[in-house]
Amino acid sequence: MFDLVIIGGGPAGLTAGIYAQRARLKTVLLEKQMVGGQIAVSDVIENYPGFPSISGAGLMEKFEEHARGLGLEIRFTDVMNITVENEVKVIKTSDGEIRTKAVIIATGAKPKRLGVPGEKELTGKGVSYCATCDGPFFRNLKVMVVGGGDTAVKEAVYLSRLAAKVYIVHRRDKFRAEKMHQEKMEATANIEMITSHVLKEIKSENNLVKSVVLQDIKSCEMREIETEGVFIFVGINPTTDLADVDKTDGGFIKTAPDMSTSVPGIFAAGDCRNTPLLQVATAVGDGAIAAGSAIEYVEEFEARVKKV
Amino acid sequence: MFDLVIIGGGPAGLTAGIYAQRARLKTVLLEKQMVGGQIAVSDVIENYPGFPSISGAGLMEKFEEHARGLGLEIRFTDVMNITVENEVKVIKTSDGEIRTKAVIIATGAKPKRLGVPGEKELTGKGVSYCATCDGPFFRNLKVMVVGGGDTAVKEAVYLSRLAAKVYIVHRRDKFRAEKMHQEKMEATANIEMITSHVLKEIKSENNLVKSVVLQDIKSCEMREIETEGVFIFVGINPTTDLADVDKTDGGFIKTAPDMSTSVPGIFAAGDCRNTPLLQVATAVGDGAIAAGSAIEYVEEFEARVKKV
């Protein structure tokens, strides 16, 4: 039986692995596909302290080397679900069952895509799903925000501090963000609101975003607007189906400050939990805290099982 | 008037500075003494993801370069206190007053010292105040834990997984840790409890800890015990007198998950808040979240002031 199984090989999971190995827990990290998570597909990261500018893949290679250097075992397998039998966690994977005292879920989250031509190919080349991450690359340029909820409106205001001009496109005729955010957006001179329009296509030149094609949903008329950036905020899907723990309406795992969930011995870290900010820096903090709590849980495990 | 003043130049403050500069807030970081905080005096850090092994000073130099490279202004000055006038925060420093919309307190915390001969000189050379940070350097060696509270007992159990032998010395005749932690300690074969003793001196050889001198507080008899490490857990003092915000009994600033405090526009990050783990990794996460919340606060500031 393992002391700890970490599910997910992004920044949160790898950090938890570093801490668990240093505490000599018998640990394995399970990754579905590729170590690094969402951030590994980012062209440039400039806000993880210590690395002024590095590619997402390059940073995650360093995290992986760090964790493997401490002896962390990484297995590539799909996790189906987690069940609990007398405090023992049973993890069903595509390669059989794994039994463990504690689990850290660090499975991340994925932004929803629009599914329009140009979107996939131009991601990281002008198309972004994170204003905090990529906004500073668009200083004094034009950007377009897609979406009408809280995140879209807040990020449009955030981007207005950096970009020369911000368009915000929403398919409905009214935004559905908090009133205060909306008022702030309306009062910002360099934000232009385009309602009742949908984005149909993202066009490029030299493999960088050059313009977008919008369609008026009432008249069906098409128009093309030049822009260097497209920020898409139409929702985010956490990968949390595998565990039966308390979640928010959006599916994010509810955590206490020590990263514990509603099930004793199951912890969550990073983008899959109800974090206020989805960043490498915060995932790293979460991973360290979750590992610290898991270490304590494992130390008390035997006493706990005896009582059950 | 500044948008944001960050108080403290450790990992939490510098990270907040990186995020604030990227969002183009008009920001200044105030530091009393030396950029880097507590961690800058650590000989080796091996658990900040991305850097398998680096000196505390070396890592903090990288953080500082990162923040300064983005244009962060750092001023060396002492902060006396923070007051609030119509939502404007007024910071009294040794060089005059600074007015700002938002504040992030990242002033850190300091472990209490025993004040015995050898302690100061041998800090980082066998004397430590953090088991998570330094425990792994004592694999298969003997260590001594000093203290009788929750932290001392928990860390003794943690260290027992790494070290060959753990002594725990407490000046009273009974430990005052949670019963569960105490039972776990008593059941651990390689922990030896020495009660009613105080540590009088730490001796060295070749500038590394070699032994400690204990005194029986009843008989006043002295004894010397060989040990390679001394972990001191007799309390921790957060530097939080400067602000009148809600605090724990221990003086740590109470924060919500978004790092806000009981006073709107004043945020806290890192070791000075009620964090579950005092680490560079967690301070970095805190700093990013606090900056994100401060950015949002600043954006809403004008609307807020109008209402007051």
mmCIF file of all heavy atoms in Angstrom, chain A residues 126-161:
data_model
loop_
_atom_site.group_PDB
_atom_site.id
_atom_site.type_symbol
_atom_site.label_atom_id
_atom_site.label_comp_id
_atom_site.label_asym_id
_atom_site.label_seq_id
_atom_site.Cartn_x
_atom_site.Cartn_y
_atom_site.Cartn_z
ATOM 1 N N GLY A 126 -1.379 34.538 -30.043
ATOM 2 C CA GLY A 126 -2.346 35.635 -30.073
ATOM 3 C C GLY A 126 -3.652 35.219 -29.421
ATOM 4 O O GLY A 126 -4.364 36.045 -28.872
ATOM 5 N N VAL A 127 -3.947 33.934 -29.435
ATOM 6 C CA VAL A 127 -5.148 33.430 -28.755
ATOM 7 C C VAL A 127 -4.739 32.971 -27.353
ATOM 8 O O VAL A 127 -3.781 32.212 -27.203
ATOM 9 C CB VAL A 127 -5.798 32.268 -29.530
ATOM 10 C CG1 VAL A 127 -6.936 31.656 -28.715
ATOM 11 C CG2 VAL A 127 -6.306 32.756 -30.879
ATOM 12 N N SER A 128 -5.450 33.453 -26.329
ATOM 13 C CA SER A 128 -5.105 33.124 -24.949
ATOM 14 C C SER A 128 -6.361 32.885 -24.129
ATOM 15 O O SER A 128 -7.450 33.364 -24.474
ATOM 16 C CB SER A 128 -4.310 34.291 -24.329
ATOM 17 O OG SER A 128 -4.156 34.095 -22.941
ATOM 18 N N TYR A 129 -6.189 32.150 -23.030
ATOM 19 C CA TYR A 129 -7.293 31.890 -22.109
ATOM 20 C C TYR A 129 -6.968 32.431 -20.719
ATOM 21 O O TYR A 129 -7.608 32.080 -19.748
ATOM 22 C CB TYR A 129 -7.575 30.381 -22.062
ATOM 23 C CG TYR A 129 -7.935 29.823 -23.428
ATOM 24 C CD1 TYR A 129 -6.948 29.423 -24.322
ATOM 25 C CD2 TYR A 129 -9.266 29.763 -23.851
ATOM 26 C CE1 TYR A 129 -7.272 28.952 -25.590
ATOM 27 C CE2 TYR A 129 -9.596 29.297 -25.102
ATOM 28 C CZ TYR A 129 -8.597 28.889 -25.977
ATOM 29 O OH TYR A 129 -8.926 28.443 -27.229
ATOM 30 N N CYS A 130 -5.944 33.309 -20.614
ATOM 31 C CA CYS A 130 -5.503 33.809 -19.310
ATOM 32 C C CYS A 130 -4.913 35.204 -19.438
ATOM 33 O O CYS A 130 -3.813 35.372 -19.974
ATOM 34 C CB CYS A 130 -4.471 32.850 -18.718
ATOM 35 S SG CYS A 130 -3.785 33.401 -17.141
ATOM 36 N N ALA A 131 -5.631 36.206 -18.926
ATOM 37 C CA ALA A 131 -5.172 37.596 -19.042
ATOM 38 C C ALA A 131 -3.976 37.868 -18.135
ATOM 39 O O ALA A 131 -3.038 38.571 -18.517
ATOM 40 C CB ALA A 131 -6.312 38.556 -18.694
ATOM 41 N N THR A 132 -3.996 37.308 -16.920
ATOM 42 C CA THR A 132 -2.872 37.504 -15.995
ATOM 43 C C THR A 132 -1.576 36.973 -16.613
ATOM 44 O O THR A 132 -0.514 37.563 -16.477
ATOM 45 C CB THR A 132 -3.132 36.759 -14.673
ATOM 46 O OG1 THR A 132 -4.392 37.178 -14.169
ATOM 47 C CG2 THR A 132 -2.071 37.047 -13.642
ATOM 48 N N CYS A 133 -1.704 35.815 -17.318
ATOM 49 C CA CYS A 133 -0.518 35.183 -17.903
ATOM 50 C C CYS A 133 -0.021 35.957 -19.118
ATOM 51 O O CYS A 133 1.167 36.203 -19.263
ATOM 52 C CB CYS A 133 -0.839 33.762 -18.364
ATOM 53 S SG CYS A 133 -1.759 32.785 -17.167
ATOM 54 N N ASP A 134 -0.925 36.310 -20.013
ATOM 55 C CA ASP A 134 -0.512 36.771 -21.340
ATOM 56 C C ASP A 134 -0.792 38.244 -21.622
ATOM 57 O O ASP A 134 -0.277 38.789 -22.600
ATOM 58 C CB ASP A 134 -1.195 35.901 -22.413
ATOM 59 C CG ASP A 134 -0.792 34.434 -22.282
ATOM 60 O OD1 ASP A 134 0.375 34.176 -21.937
ATOM 61 O OD2 ASP A 134 -1.645 33.556 -22.506
ATOM 62 N N GLY A 135 -1.586 38.896 -20.754
ATOM 63 C CA GLY A 135 -1.916 40.307 -20.981
ATOM 64 C C GLY A 135 -0.704 41.194 -21.258
ATOM 65 O O GLY A 135 -0.696 41.978 -22.209
ATOM 66 N N PRO A 136 0.358 41.063 -20.425
ATOM 67 C CA PRO A 136 1.517 41.953 -20.607
ATOM 68 C C PRO A 136 2.194 41.838 -21.964
ATOM 69 O O PRO A 136 2.956 42.722 -22.340
ATOM 70 C CB PRO A 136 2.455 41.522 -19.472
ATOM 71 C CG PRO A 136 1.539 41.021 -18.407
ATOM 72 C CD PRO A 136 0.451 40.306 -19.171
ATOM 73 N N PHE A 137 1.931 40.771 -22.726
ATOM 74 C CA PHE A 137 2.518 40.669 -24.068
ATOM 75 C C PHE A 137 1.810 41.573 -25.072
ATOM 76 O O PHE A 137 2.254 41.708 -26.207
ATOM 77 C CB PHE A 137 2.463 39.210 -24.574
ATOM 78 C CG PHE A 137 3.198 38.241 -23.693
ATOM 79 C CD1 PHE A 137 2.565 37.133 -23.143
ATOM 80 C CD2 PHE A 137 4.540 38.442 -23.385
ATOM 81 C CE1 PHE A 137 3.243 36.248 -22.323
ATOM 82 C CE2 PHE A 137 5.236 37.557 -22.559
ATOM 83 C CZ PHE A 137 4.577 36.464 -22.036
ATOM 84 N N PHE A 138 0.685 42.174 -24.667
ATOM 85 C CA PHE A 138 -0.111 42.962 -25.619
ATOM 86 C C PHE A 138 -0.117 44.456 -25.278
ATOM 87 O O PHE A 138 -1.057 45.161 -25.603
ATOM 88 C CB PHE A 138 -1.545 42.403 -25.681
ATOM 89 C CG PHE A 138 -1.588 41.012 -26.248
ATOM 90 C CD1 PHE A 138 -1.488 39.906 -25.424
ATOM 91 C CD2 PHE A 138 -1.679 40.814 -27.621
ATOM 92 C CE1 PHE A 138 -1.491 38.620 -25.951
ATOM 93 C CE2 PHE A 138 -1.684 39.527 -28.155
ATOM 94 C CZ PHE A 138 -1.587 38.424 -27.310
ATOM 95 N N ARG A 139 0.964 44.909 -24.647
ATOM 96 C CA ARG A 139 1.063 46.336 -24.312
ATOM 97 C C ARG A 139 0.935 47.184 -25.565
ATOM 98 O O ARG A 139 1.631 46.980 -26.546
ATOM 99 C CB ARG A 139 2.415 46.626 -23.649
ATOM 100 C CG ARG A 139 2.414 46.104 -22.239
ATOM 101 C CD ARG A 139 3.232 46.948 -21.304
ATOM 102 N NE ARG A 139 3.060 46.368 -19.968
ATOM 103 C CZ ARG A 139 3.999 46.334 -19.049
ATOM 104 N NH1 ARG A 139 5.164 46.901 -19.285
ATOM 105 N NH2 ARG A 139 3.768 45.791 -17.879
ATOM 106 N N ASN A 140 0.003 48.150 -25.468
ATOM 107 C CA ASN A 140 -0.213 49.115 -26.557
ATOM 108 C C ASN A 140 -0.684 48.479 -27.867
ATOM 109 O O ASN A 140 -0.573 49.085 -28.920
ATOM 110 C CB ASN A 140 1.048 49.959 -26.790
ATOM 111 C CG ASN A 140 1.486 50.649 -25.501
ATOM 112 O OD1 ASN A 140 0.642 51.128 -24.744
ATOM 113 N ND2 ASN A 140 2.767 50.667 -25.242
ATOM 114 N N LEU A 141 -1.209 47.282 -27.793
ATOM 115 C CA LEU A 141 -1.795 46.642 -28.980
ATOM 116 C C LEU A 141 -3.308 46.550 -28.778
ATOM 117 O O LEU A 141 -3.838 46.932 -27.741
ATOM 118 C CB LEU A 141 -1.203 45.243 -29.166
ATOM 119 C CG LEU A 141 0.322 45.179 -29.395
ATOM 120 C CD1 LEU A 141 0.787 43.737 -29.467
ATOM 121 C CD2 LEU A 141 0.712 45.932 -30.668
ATOM 122 N N LYS A 142 -4.006 46.033 -29.805
ATOM 123 C CA LYS A 142 -5.452 45.833 -29.701
ATOM 124 C C LYS A 142 -5.749 44.382 -29.342
ATOM 125 O O LYS A 142 -5.129 43.471 -29.902
ATOM 126 C CB LYS A 142 -6.120 46.163 -31.049
ATOM 127 C CG LYS A 142 -6.087 47.636 -31.420
ATOM 128 C CD LYS A 142 -7.018 47.938 -32.593
ATOM 129 C CE LYS A 142 -6.544 47.295 -33.880
ATOM 130 N NZ LYS A 142 -5.264 47.811 -34.413
ATOM 131 N N VAL A 143 -6.667 44.179 -28.412
ATOM 132 C CA VAL A 143 -7.077 42.815 -28.082
ATOM 133 C C VAL A 143 -8.600 42.704 -28.077
ATOM 134 O O VAL A 143 -9.314 43.704 -27.918
ATOM 135 C CB VAL A 143 -6.545 42.345 -26.701
ATOM 136 C CG1 VAL A 143 -5.027 42.375 -26.640
ATOM 137 C CG2 VAL A 143 -7.142 43.174 -25.568
ATOM 138 N N MET A 144 -9.078 41.485 -28.274
ATOM 139 C CA MET A 144 -10.514 41.236 -28.201
ATOM 140 C C MET A 144 -10.781 40.193 -27.121
ATOM 141 O O MET A 144 -10.109 39.163 -27.079
ATOM 142 C CB MET A 144 -11.022 40.734 -29.544
ATOM 143 C CG MET A 144 -12.513 40.442 -29.528
ATOM 144 S SD MET A 144 -13.140 40.147 -31.178
ATOM 145 C CE MET A 144 -13.110 41.782 -31.870
ATOM 146 N N VAL A 145 -11.751 40.509 -26.249
ATOM 147 C CA VAL A 145 -12.175 39.564 -25.225
ATOM 148 C C VAL A 145 -13.476 38.929 -25.691
ATOM 149 O O VAL A 145 -14.366 39.632 -26.191
ATOM 150 C CB VAL A 145 -12.378 40.279 -23.872
ATOM 151 C CG1 VAL A 145 -13.076 39.382 -22.860
ATOM 152 C CG2 VAL A 145 -11.034 40.774 -23.338
ATOM 153 N N VAL A 146 -13.611 37.613 -25.528
ATOM 154 C CA VAL A 146 -14.847 36.925 -25.906
ATOM 155 C C VAL A 146 -15.493 36.371 -24.645
ATOM 156 O O VAL A 146 -14.836 35.640 -23.883
ATOM 157 C CB VAL A 146 -14.558 35.783 -26.899
ATOM 158 C CG1 VAL A 146 -15.859 35.122 -27.344
ATOM 159 C CG2 VAL A 146 -13.770 36.300 -28.100
ATOM 160 N N GLY A 147 -16.768 36.720 -24.423
ATOM 161 C CA GLY A 147 -17.482 36.229 -23.248
ATOM 162 C C GLY A 147 -18.277 37.342 -22.600
ATOM 163 O O GLY A 147 -18.030 38.524 -22.855
ATOM 164 N N GLY A 148 -19.230 36.976 -21.729
ATOM 165 C CA GLY A 148 -20.079 37.991 -21.126
ATOM 166 C C GLY A 148 -20.272 37.827 -19.636
ATOM 167 O O GLY A 148 -21.029 38.563 -19.009
ATOM 168 N N GLY A 149 -19.556 36.879 -19.033
ATOM 169 C CA GLY A 149 -19.703 36.626 -17.608
ATOM 170 C C GLY A 149 -18.717 37.441 -16.789
ATOM 171 O O GLY A 149 -18.049 38.345 -17.289
ATOM 172 N N ASP A 150 -18.613 37.088 -15.508
ATOM 173 C CA ASP A 150 -17.742 37.807 -14.581
ATOM 174 C C ASP A 150 -16.286 37.839 -15.038
ATOM 175 O O ASP A 150 -15.641 38.885 -15.024
ATOM 176 C CB ASP A 150 -17.796 37.135 -13.197
ATOM 177 C CG ASP A 150 -18.612 37.954 -12.225
ATOM 178 O OD1 ASP A 150 -18.833 39.142 -12.504
ATOM 179 O OD2 ASP A 150 -19.018 37.409 -11.196
ATOM 180 N N THR A 151 -15.786 36.663 -15.402
ATOM 181 C CA THR A 151 -14.373 36.585 -15.772
ATOM 182 C C THR A 151 -14.092 37.437 -16.992
ATOM 183 O O THR A 151 -13.133 38.224 -17.009
ATOM 184 C CB THR A 151 -13.973 35.114 -16.045
ATOM 185 O OG1 THR A 151 -14.325 34.351 -14.903
ATOM 186 C CG2 THR A 151 -12.484 34.992 -16.296
ATOM 187 N N ALA A 152 -14.930 37.322 -18.018
ATOM 188 C CA ALA A 152 -14.710 38.089 -19.250
ATOM 189 C C ALA A 152 -14.678 39.588 -18.960
ATOM 190 O O ALA A 152 -13.779 40.307 -19.414
ATOM 191 C CB ALA A 152 -15.801 37.754 -20.267
ATOM 192 N N VAL A 153 -15.642 40.056 -18.178
ATOM 193 C CA VAL A 153 -15.739 41.496 -17.917
ATOM 194 C C VAL A 153 -14.568 41.966 -17.043
ATOM 195 O O VAL A 153 -13.938 42.990 -17.310
ATOM 196 C CB VAL A 153 -17.103 41.828 -17.257
ATOM 197 C CG1 VAL A 153 -17.128 43.251 -16.733
ATOM 198 C CG2 VAL A 153 -18.220 41.596 -18.269
ATOM 199 N N LYS A 154 -14.239 41.202 -15.995
ATOM 200 C CA LYS A 154 -13.108 41.561 -15.140
ATOM 201 C C LYS A 154 -11.804 41.587 -15.927
ATOM 202 O O LYS A 154 -10.977 42.490 -15.768
ATOM 203 C CB LYS A 154 -12.973 40.546 -13.994
ATOM 204 C CG LYS A 154 -13.847 40.861 -12.800
ATOM 205 C CD LYS A 154 -13.925 39.697 -11.831
ATOM 206 C CE LYS A 154 -12.581 39.282 -11.273
ATOM 207 N NZ LYS A 154 -12.726 38.123 -10.347
ATOM 208 N N GLU A 155 -11.619 40.605 -16.775
ATOM 209 C CA GLU A 155 -10.368 40.527 -17.524
ATOM 210 C C GLU A 155 -10.303 41.609 -18.603
ATOM 211 O O GLU A 155 -9.222 42.089 -18.930
ATOM 212 C CB GLU A 155 -10.182 39.124 -18.120
ATOM 213 C CG GLU A 155 -10.127 38.011 -17.090
ATOM 214 C CD GLU A 155 -9.006 38.092 -16.063
ATOM 215 O OE1 GLU A 155 -8.756 39.204 -15.546
ATOM 216 O OE2 GLU A 155 -8.396 37.058 -15.770
ATOM 217 N N ALA A 156 -11.448 42.002 -19.129
ATOM 218 C CA ALA A 156 -11.459 43.113 -20.091
ATOM 219 C C ALA A 156 -10.954 44.387 -19.399
ATOM 220 O O ALA A 156 -10.140 45.131 -19.952
ATOM 221 C CB ALA A 156 -12.861 43.319 -20.658
ATOM 222 N N VAL A 157 -11.433 44.622 -18.169
ATOM 223 C CA VAL A 157 -10.983 45.797 -17.418
ATOM 224 C C VAL A 157 -9.488 45.693 -17.115
ATOM 225 O O VAL A 157 -8.721 46.642 -17.283
ATOM 226 C CB VAL A 157 -11.793 45.955 -16.104
ATOM 227 C CG1 VAL A 157 -11.215 47.051 -15.234
ATOM 228 C CG2 VAL A 157 -13.261 46.225 -16.425
ATOM 229 N N TYR A 158 -9.069 44.504 -16.716
ATOM 230 C CA TYR A 158 -7.641 44.276 -16.439
ATOM 231 C C TYR A 158 -6.806 44.564 -17.688
ATOM 232 O O TYR A 158 -5.800 45.273 -17.641
ATOM 233 C CB TYR A 158 -7.452 42.823 -15.984
ATOM 234 C CG TYR A 158 -6.017 42.396 -15.794
ATOM 235 C CD1 TYR A 158 -5.356 42.609 -14.598
ATOM 236 C CD2 TYR A 158 -5.312 41.766 -16.818
ATOM 237 C CE1 TYR A 158 -4.041 42.213 -14.425
ATOM 238 C CE2 TYR A 158 -3.992 41.365 -16.657
ATOM 239 C CZ TYR A 158 -3.365 41.591 -15.455
ATOM 240 O OH TYR A 158 -2.057 41.204 -15.286
ATOM 241 N N LEU A 159 -7.246 44.051 -18.822
ATOM 242 C CA LEU A 159 -6.488 44.222 -20.073
ATOM 243 C C LEU A 159 -6.479 45.684 -20.535
ATOM 244 O O LEU A 159 -5.544 46.116 -21.210
ATOM 245 C CB LEU A 159 -7.077 43.324 -21.168
ATOM 246 C CG LEU A 159 -6.779 41.826 -20.988
ATOM 247 C CD1 LEU A 159 -7.676 40.985 -21.886
ATOM 248 C CD2 LEU A 159 -5.302 41.524 -21.269
ATOM 249 N N SER A 160 -7.516 46.441 -20.145
ATOM 250 C CA SER A 160 -7.585 47.848 -20.573
ATOM 251 C C SER A 160 -6.437 48.679 -19.990
ATOM 252 O O SER A 160 -6.112 49.741 -20.512
ATOM 253 C CB SER A 160 -8.935 48.463 -20.176
ATOM 254 O OG SER A 160 -8.959 48.688 -18.770
ATOM 255 N N ARG A 161 -5.824 48.186 -18.922
ATOM 256 C CA ARG A 161 -4.664 48.868 -18.332
ATOM 257 C C ARG A 161 -3.408 48.643 -19.168
ATOM 258 O O ARG A 161 -2.430 49.368 -19.043
ATOM 259 C CB ARG A 161 -4.392 48.357 -16.914
ATOM 260 C CG ARG A 161 -5.555 48.466 -15.954
ATOM 261 C CD ARG A 161 -5.200 47.853 -14.608
ATOM 262 N NE ARG A 161 -4.102 48.572 -14.004
ATOM 263 C CZ ARG A 161 -4.262 49.628 -13.220
ATOM 264 N NH1 ARG A 161 -5.472 50.088 -12.963
ATOM 265 N NH2 ARG A 161 -3.216 50.237 -12.712
#
